[in-house]
Amino acid sequence: ELSDDAGYLIEKIKGLDTKYRQILIYRYYDDLSYEEIANLIEVNIGTVKSRLFKARELLKRSILRNGRGEDYFEI
C-alpha cells in the first residue's frame, strides 16, 4: 500500500500534461537515460532535458500551490 505522500505525488504527476508525465515516468520510474528516452519518444536529447526541467517545475508549482511544499522542498 502506498504512503499518503506517495499517493499525493502520484496524483500530482497524473495531473501533468502527457509529454511531461511521460518524461518523469521514463526518467525516475523506468530509470532510463536521456539518450534512451530521446530514442524512445523520437526527440533529441535537448528536448528531453528541457521537458524534464519543465515537468519538475510544473510538479513543484502544483505541490507548492496546495500548501504541501514544505514536505518536499527546502523553502
Side-chain angles (χ1 to χ4, degrees), residues 5-17 21 24 55 58-68 72:
D5 286 343
Y8 177 77
L9 286 174
I10 288 169
E11 287 305 311
K12 290 296 175 187
I13 291 168
K14 284 180 179 179
L16 296 174
D17 285 343
R21 181 175 61 246
L24 287 173
L58 290 169
L59 186 59
K60 181 178 177 180
R61 280 189 222 147
S62 178
I63 291 168
L64 290 172
R65 189 169 40 248
N66 289 314
R68 290 191 60 177
Y72 303 98

